């Protein structure tokens, strides 16, 4: 009996033990699940896991670099994406905020303490403190102030690296273009799979190099600075500021251009000093056809674009009425087609016998030959030659001399991106306008006006400068280059774009030499005599054209040429658009100033 009772007692103990063990096992498994498996599984209502959610809830992040590629000049000067250090405030609750920080920052930022305190207290995401005079720019703190703030180690206050998209502001070259903002990207994935709860705006190239090189400039993702907070919005010790960025060390890429930004800015200042309000200047290296400078006015600021304005148009690649500059085409066509010869004598009494055309010199030039007609820019001679030539001949020589089709280089990067335009938005030139039925109307009156670069003729300043290089190379045509190479973030060249690609002879070398000699005479004894006392001996061709309809009081003044004459290094085209009648010929003066600056640099 006693043994039976003892057995029953042990059975009860065993059942209880097993029950307790089962409960303990259940809770152990549950704890293991919660500790190791559950937190890493996506939630039913959210793709994030519990661990990820807990991290996100304690993160406060700000994007200070969207990862877009940079554009630099030939000397490595940053034109887009220049780095600086800025003040960033992270959200804090009242009890975590230092009133000493508020007091000191208010003094440094020149703002009332109450205003700073309320704004800081009410932010839900970190903010970059902006310049009150330009909300697109960070507040300009001195290096001394930056160092002082960094040393204080205040909660929620940091001096952090910032990449400013367009640091040159209104001095940004038009050929850079601009970007537009895509829809805000919320929760951009990072390398570790985390998705932050804040948003950043991705920029997309819309004009200029920003657009044409978009596949290379787009980047892999932003650089984000993350601040971790506890439930009371106090910084978590040991975490502080963490940086998240794409793990690929070769990005962002860098576009190295052929331009000298110091020269670019100097030319812009020259044009403004001479009163040019709208116009362009192009400087090409005569050996490589590289663009050393390309200036357009009026200035534009890619940070503050007016979509209804025209400031963002690059006048250097817009087709404009050229006036007497086009007489070089007529002279070349007349010589090579046998329409005239070097010894034919013309007579100018100041008026053409028909079509109401006249010479700019009212009393006329008298008897002169073709070389003198080019130097003196005689309208009567070139109206006559325009009538002698057929319309298709004028058209053909304008094409051969590179004034009709876009002349800018197009390149391939070898990675599947073809036809990368160096001059996105470059317009085509023209000689005649197609009439109904798709035919050109080229009667005698139209050809006479075309002969002096009026009527429907349009060329770009870039094409005009390139024509100078074509003549200097004996009639061999080539394409100007704006981008030299693409580098990775470590400075290694990924691809280089060769200069002088796709060369082609389009003029007889004897014709090219004669035009060059006649442009020398333009400065020695013709319409360019005001350039005789410049630092270099120069050569070129002036031009004046009605800016719009014939007879209006607004003119386009041109000067295209090269220098120094004995050893040409640069070809330059300048146009001032919409000048008033009887005003100084600004293009010639700017041309001379540019050549003086180039001569000074050469020394």
């Amino acid at each position: 009996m006693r043994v039976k009772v003892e057995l029953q007692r042990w059975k009860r103990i065993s059942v209880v033990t097993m029950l307790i063990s089962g409960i303990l096992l259940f809770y152990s498994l549950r704890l293991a699940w919660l500790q190791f498996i559950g937190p890493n599984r996506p939630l039913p209502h959210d793709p994030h896991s519990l661990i990820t959610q807990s991290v996100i809830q304690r993160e406060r992040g700000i994007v200070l670099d969207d990862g877009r590629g940079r554009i630099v000049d030939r000397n490595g000067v940053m034109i887009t994406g220049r780095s600086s250090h800025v003040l960033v405030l992270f959200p804090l609750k009242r009890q975590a905020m230092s009133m000493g920080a508020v007091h000191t920052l208010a003094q440094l930022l020149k703002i009332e303490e109450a205003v700073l305190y309320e704004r800081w207290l009410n932010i839900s995401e970190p903010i970059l403190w902006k310049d009150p005079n330009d909300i697109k720019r960070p507040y300009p703190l001195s290096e001394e102030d930056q160092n002082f703030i960094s040393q204080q180690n205040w909660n929620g206050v940091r001096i952090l690296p910032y990449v400013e998209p367009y640091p040159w502001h209104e001095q940004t070259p038009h050929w850079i273009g601009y970007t537009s903002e895509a829809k805000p990207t919320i929760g951009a994935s990072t390398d570790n799979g985390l998705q932050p709860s804040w948003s950043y705006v991705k920029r997309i190239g819309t004009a200029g190099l920003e657009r044409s090189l978009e596949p290379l400039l787009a980047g892999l993702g932003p650089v984000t600075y993350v601040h971790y907070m506890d439930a009371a919005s106090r910084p978590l010790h040991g975490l502080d500021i963490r940086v998240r960025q794409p793990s690929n060390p070769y990005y962002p890429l860098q576009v190295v251009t052929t331009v000298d930004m110091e020269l670019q800015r100097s030319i812009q200042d020259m044009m403004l000093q001479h009163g040019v309000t709208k116009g362009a200047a192009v400087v090409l290296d005569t050996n490589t056809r590289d663009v050393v400078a390309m200036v357009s006015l009026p200035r534009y600021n890619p940070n503050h674009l007016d979509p209804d304005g025209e400031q963002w148009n690059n006048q250097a690649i817009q087709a404009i009425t050229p006036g007497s500059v086009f007489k070089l085409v007529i002279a070349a066509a007349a010589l090579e087609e046998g329409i005239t010869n070097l010894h034919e004598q013309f007579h100018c009494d100041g008026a053409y016998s028909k079509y109401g055309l006249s010479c700019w010199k009212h009393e006329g030039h008298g008897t002169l030959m073709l070389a003198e007609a080019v130097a003196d820019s005689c309208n009567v001679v070139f109206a006559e030659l325009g009538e002698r030539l057929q319309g298709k001949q004028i058209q053909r020589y304008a094409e051969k001399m590179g004034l009709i089709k876009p002349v800018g280089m197009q390149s391939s990067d070898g990675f599947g991106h073809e036809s990368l335009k160096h001059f996105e938005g470059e317009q085509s030139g023209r000689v005649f306008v197609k009439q109904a039925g798709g035919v050109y109307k080229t009667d005698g009156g139209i050809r006479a006006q075309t002969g002096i670069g009026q009527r429907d003729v349009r060329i770009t300043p870039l094409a005009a400068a390139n024509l100078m290089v074509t003549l200097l190379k004996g009639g061999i045509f080539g394409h100007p280059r704006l981008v030299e190479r693409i580098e990775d973030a470590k400075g290694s060249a990924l691809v280089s774009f060769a200069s002088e690609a796709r060369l082609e002879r389009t003029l007889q070398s004897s014709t090219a030499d004669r035009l060059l000699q006649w442009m020398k005479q333009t400065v020695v004894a013709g319409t360019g005599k005001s350039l005789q006392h410049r630092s270099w001996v120069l050569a070129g061709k002036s031009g004046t054209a009605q800016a719009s309809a014939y007879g209006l009081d607004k003119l386009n003044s041109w000067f295209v040429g090269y220098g120094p004459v004995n050893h040409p290094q640069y070809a330059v085209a300048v146009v001032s658009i919409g000048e008033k009648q009887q005003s100084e010929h600004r293009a010639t003066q700017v041309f001379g100033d540019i050549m003086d600056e180039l001569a000074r640099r050469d020394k």
Side-chain angles (χ1 to χ4, degrees):
M1 186 67 181
R2 184 177 180 181
V3 173
K4 185 176 181 181
V5 171
E6 191 70 22
L7 287 173
Q8 289 176 347
R9 185 169 68 86
W10 278 108
K11 283 183 180 180
R12 288 194 296 269
I13 291 173
S14 299
V15 170
V16 171
T17 300
M18 292 178 62
L19 181 60
I20 293 173
S21 297
I23 293 172
L24 291 175
L25 178 61
F26 172 79
Y27 278 107
S28 297
L29 292 173
R30 178 60 176 166
L31 287 173
W33 173 273
L34 294 175
Q35 183 71 27
F36 301 110
I37 301 176
N40 295 298
R41 290 172 58 88
L43 298 171
H45 59 283
D46 195 305
H48 300 114
S49 67
L50 284 171
I51 288 179
T52 303
Q53 282 284 13
S54 67
V55 173
I56 290 175
Q57 290 173 4
R58 287 166 172 75
E59 288 180 346
R60 299 293 185 273
I62 184 170
V63 174
L64 297 180
D65 177 3
D66 64 4
R68 190 169 181 82
R70 313 334 188 201
I71 302 176
V72 304
D73 81 345
R74 59 170 55 194
N75 300 312
V77 175
M78 286 287 180
I79 308 175
T80 70
R82 186 168 66 193
S83 296
S84 60
H85 283 79
V86 297
L87 173 64
V88 177
L89 299 180
F90 288 82
L92 292 174
K93 289 189 177 178
R94 194 182 309 270
Q95 60 270 30
M97 193 178 296
S98 167
M99 295 310 298
V102 173
H103 174 75
T104 305
L105 288 176
Q107 290 182 327
L108 294 176
L109 300 174
K110 298 178 176 60
I111 188 174
E112 293 182 8
E113 287 187 40
V115 175
L116 173 61
Y117 178 75
E118 286 300 320
R119 183 174 177 191
W120 190 1
L121 190 62
N122 291 316
I123 62 175
S124 58
E125 292 186 357
I127 60 169
L128 164 65
W129 196 263
K130 300 292 185 65
D131 186 340
N133 298 317
D134 185 350
I135 60 172
K136 292 283 188 175
R137 304 180 66 176
Y139 190 89
L141 287 170
S142 68
E143 186 174 350
E144 182 181 358
D145 289 341
Q146 293 174 18
N147 292 334
F148 172 77
I149 293 172
S150 297
Q151 291 169 4
Q152 304 312 304
N153 201 26
W154 289 316
N155 284 345
V157 181
R158 291 294 181 272
I159 299 295
L160 297 175
Y162 169 69
V163 175
E164 189 173 2
Y166 299 111
W168 289 75
H169 304 282
E170 70 279 352
Q171 291 187 330
T172 304
H174 285 68
W175 43 265
I176 288 290
Y178 53 90
T179 56
S180 58
E181 295 182 347
K183 292 182 180 180
T185 301
I186 300 177
S189 296
T190 58
D191 294 333
N192 59 9
L194 295 180
Q195 291 186 315
S197 57
W198 59 88
S199 65
Y200 80 100
V201 178
K202 184 178 181 179
R203 295 184 295 127
I204 299 175
T206 308
L209 288 181
E210 291 278 26
R211 179 177 180 178
S212 61
L213 301 183
E214 171 67 21
L216 302 172
L217 292 171
L220 299 180
V223 177
T224 307
Y225 295 86
V226 181
H227 203 203
Y228 292 92
M229 319 290 289
D230 64 13
S233 292
R234 292 177 301 225
L236 286 174
H237 296 296
L239 292 179
D240 196 43
I241 302 295
R242 296 296 179 91
V243 181
R244 287 188 187 162
Q245 58 186 352
S247 60
N248 191 322
Y250 299 102
Y251 280 78
L253 301 183
Q254 184 164 276
V255 175
V256 181
T257 67
T258 60
V259 170
D260 183 327
M261 279 301 291
E262 185 180 349
L263 177 64
Q264 174 92 11
R265 183 164 54 181
S266 296
I267 293 175
Q268 186 182 89
D269 291 342
M270 291 175 197
M271 296 176 73
L272 293 172
Q273 289 167 5
H274 280 290
V276 178
T277 57
K278 184 177 181 180
V282 179
V283 181
L284 298 183
D285 184 314
T286 58
N287 293 316
T288 61
R289 293 187 201 256
D290 284 350
V291 174
V292 185
M294 177 183 280
V295 177
S296 175
L297 292 176
R299 296 185 294 185
Y300 90 123
N301 186 342
N303 294 312
H304 301 281
L305 283 174
D306 178 6
D308 297 323
E310 63 172 3
Q311 287 85 355
W312 51 269
N313 279 330
N314 185 356
Q315 300 299 329
I317 55 175
Q318 302 289 305
I320 305 164
T321 309
S324 297
V325 171
F326 196 72
K327 291 172 182 176
L328 296 172
V329 176
I330 301 299
L335 282 175
E336 293 200 0
E337 294 296 325
I339 300 300
T340 186
N341 58 63
L342 300 176
H343 306 291
E344 181 180 1
Q345 293 187 336
F346 300 87
H347 183 75
C348 169
D349 61 6
Y352 196 53
S353 59
K354 44 191 171 180
Y355 311 126
L357 297 177
S358 61
C359 191
W360 64 269
K361 190 174 183 179
H362 300 300
E363 66 274 22
H365 290 97
T367 300
L368 69 173
M369 291 184 291
L370 186 56
E372 298 167 308
V374 172
D376 290 334
S377 199
C378 179
N379 287 346
V380 170
V381 171
F382 282 94
E384 181 176 338
L385 291 176
E387 269 206 276
R388 291 187 193 178
L389 288 162
Q390 299 176 20
K392 61 182 180 181
Q393 291 175 319
I394 301 175
Q395 178 78 25
R396 185 168 71 252
Y397 276 85
E399 291 175 352
K400 290 172 67 173
M401 296 170 76
L403 300 179
I404 302 302
K405 295 179 181 179
V407 299
M409 185 177 289
Q410 297 188 37
S411 303
S412 168
D413 64 0
F415 301 108
H417 304 128
E418 305 294 334
S419 300
L420 298 172
K421 295 181 179 179
H422 292 226
F423 305 91
E424 196 276 332
E426 180 186 1
Q427 291 185 348
S428 299
R430 74 182 189 209
V431 177
F432 305 106
V433 174
K434 286 186 178 180
Q435 305 296 314
V439 298
Y440 293 110
K441 186 178 180 180
T442 60
D443 59 40
I446 292 175
R447 297 199 308 279
Q449 291 183 58
T450 300
I452 61 173
Q454 290 283 174
R455 186 76 186 200
D456 301 318
V457 184
R458 303 288 187 275
I459 68 173
T460 68
L462 175 62
N466 191 53
L467 170 59
M468 296 297 102
V469 183
T470 296
L471 297 178
L472 288 167
K473 290 184 177 292
I476 297 177
F477 174 80
H479 299 275
R481 181 178 69 161
L482 180 59
V483 178
E484 181 180 345
R485 64 185 182 275
I486 309 296
E487 294 180 344
D488 63 25
K490 296 183 177 181
S492 299
L494 293 178
V495 60
S496 295
F497 301 134
S499 62
E500 290 285 41
R502 302 195 301 275
L503 298 178
E504 176 187 4
R505 175 172 295 282
T506 56
L507 281 180
Q508 298 175 15
S509 59
S510 58
T511 302
D513 289 342
R514 287 193 180 97
L515 293 178
L516 293 173
Q517 292 299 321
W518 293 345
M519 283 191 285
K520 293 179 187 178
Q521 289 303 307
T522 298
V523 175
V524 171
T527 55
K529 286 188 291 186
S530 64
L531 298 171
Q532 288 179 357
H533 304 293
R534 295 290 184 168
S535 301
W536 281 338
V537 177
L538 304 174
K541 182 73 187 76
S542 63
T544 304
Q546 268 71 26
S548 184
Y550 196 82
L552 293 182
D553 64 348
K554 293 294 182 70
L555 303 173
N556 298 336
S557 74
W558 286 76
F559 201 94
V560 299
Y562 62 94
V565 162
N566 294 331
H567 182 62
Q569 297 181 47
Y570 300 100
V572 177
V574 179
V575 60
S576 175
I577 301 172
E579 289 185 5
K580 290 184 178 180
Q581 292 271 22
Q582 308 304 323
S583 66
E584 59 188 3
H585 202 270
R586 294 191 179 98
T588 302
Q589 295 176 338
V590 173
F591 176 88
D593 285 355
I594 292 173
M595 284 298 189
D596 280 352
E597 176 64 16
L598 292 168
R600 184 187 69 79
R601 289 166 178 268
D602 187 58
K603 292 179 180 179

